[in-house]
Amino acid sequence: MTAELDGQVAIITGGSRGLGHAMARALAQQGARTVLASRNSNECVAAAARVQSDFGSPSVGAAADVSNPQDTDLLVRRAVDAFGRIDILVNAAGIMVRGGIEETSVEEFDRCFAVNLRGSWLMCRSVAAVMKAARYGRIINVASVQSFVGLTHRTAYASTKGGIASLTRALALEWAAAGITVNAIAPGAFVTPMVERASHTPEFSEMIQREVPLGRSGRLEEVYGAVQLLASPRSSYILGAIISVDGGWVAH
Ligand code: NAP
């Protein structure tokens, strides 16, 4: 039986763990060959080996810092060298900065923007030539509930996620005629290494009960459906959409 993404190739930044890793698994489940990137070479190589053994599609790990333009160009070249094409790009690499605005340093603010927003922008720019030559591409950015609603003590992070929503819409228009769709997924609360420590606090449980109609955080497999939809050739008429996967958080 053929799977929908058989023969296709996907780069997933932040693919070594958490939501990025889940998104890589979602694509491998549909037959895509995957390139998993993060700054830690050992971790992304090990994560790729897990994907390959669990789903049977070839997967490689590649170290890259998405905030660095040389790294993003090199990552694209490595994917083409490994598999000959790139159909799908998932920009899931991200970092969190917590703290009140007066306690957040300018360096933390700049780093958060460099990874979350500039990193997504750079990856899109680096992959442009390959996708435009093929006249086909599926780009999936990772926004957040915080693209739509405020949470205190996260001004830097929330600002990057507002920016990712705007990047998604602007680039969707820019590349509409090129056969490349640009969309985003806006996750709610998923217990990944990014939020692991915070998830044990009473404030986290209270926030989930107060904000999430389903009354729980998401299971990683619950992001698969949105990723598979936006990566599919069948989503050719979906442009600039931001799909919430948040248990109803922004709907209530
Ligand atoms: P995570 O578990 O901390 O994973 C983050 C991933 O990004 C790791 O693979 C990490 O690997 C990689 N990364 C960080 N900085 C990088 C850089 N400069 N270059 C390349 N890779 C880098 O976080 P997560 O919760 O899965 O988050 C994934 C995405 O979902 C992020 O964009 C996050 O903002 C978003 N999100 C998460 C939630 C949630 O509840 N978890 C909610 C909404 C949105 P290295 O550190 O080894 O580089």
Side-chain angles (χ1 to χ4, degrees):
M1 211 180 72
T2 59
E4 186 167 38
L5 301 178
D6 270 348
Q8 296 204 7
V9 174
I11 295 178
I12 303 96
T13 71
S16 64
R17 59 173 190 260
L19 276 164
H21 189 66
M23 293 175 184
R25 297 176 76 79
L27 297 172
Q29 190 184 57
Q30 291 296 309
R33 291 169 285 168
T34 50
V35 178
L36 275 53
S38 74
R39 287 166 303 175
N40 185 313
S41 176
N42 291 342
E43 276 180 23
C44 55
V45 167
R50 285 200 302 281
V51 169
Q52 183 161 323
S53 92
D54 291 348
F55 297 98
S57 331
S59 181
V60 298
D65 180 339
V66 296
S67 67
N68 178 329
Q70 278 95 43
D71 278 22
T72 59
D73 284 347
L74 202 60
L75 176 58
V76 165
R77 221 171 308 138
R78 283 198 62 184
V80 172
D81 288 348
F83 296 130
R85 56 192 284 168
I86 302 167
D87 303 279
I88 301 157
L89 166 64
V90 178
N91 285 315
I95 57 171
M96 165 65 82
V97 173
R98 282 196 178 80
I101 193 164
E102 306 98 308
E103 287 81 56
T104 302
S105 68
V106 171
E107 290 72 27
E108 287 174 308
F109 179 91
D110 284 349
R111 185 69 195 150
C112 198
F113 266 78
V115 177
N116 297 7
L117 186 52
R118 189 173 78 199
S120 301
W121 185 85
L122 282 173
M123 282 303 303
C124 293
R125 205 175 63 140
S126 294
V127 88
V130 175
M131 288 188 175
K132 284 192 165 174
R135 296 203 56 77
Y136 183 86
R138 294 282 180 267
I139 293 182
I140 304 171
N141 292 323
V142 179
S144 165
V145 285
Q146 293 180 66
S147 304
F148 307 111
V149 299
L151 287 178
T152 64
H153 298 92
R154 294 163 174 88
T155 49
Y157 177 83
S159 305
T160 69
K161 293 299 177 177
I164 286 171
S166 297
L167 164 66
T168 301
R169 285 186 289 262
L171 192 58
L173 303 189
E174 193 166 317
W175 286 355
I180 304 167
T181 66
V182 184
N183 294 290
I185 291 173
F190 286 80
V191 179
T192 63
M194 181 184 276
V195 296
E196 167 69 28
R197 207 147 49 96
S199 74
H200 298 299
T201 61
E203 292 78 30
F204 184 85
S205 313
E206 283 158 22
M207 178 181 77
I208 298 291
Q209 292 313 314
R210 189 179 64 242
E211 306 290 354
V212 184
L214 280 189
R216 61 172 175 81
S217 51
R219 294 186 278 271
L220 288 172
E221 300 74 33
E222 290 179 305
V223 83
Y224 283 24
V227 179
Q228 290 171 346
L229 170 69
L230 294 180
S232 162
R234 288 179 296 125
S235 65
S236 50
Y237 208 62
I238 305 179
L239 277 80
I242 302 173
I243 299 186
S244 294
V245 182
D246 63 2
W249 188 327
V250 300
H252 93 292

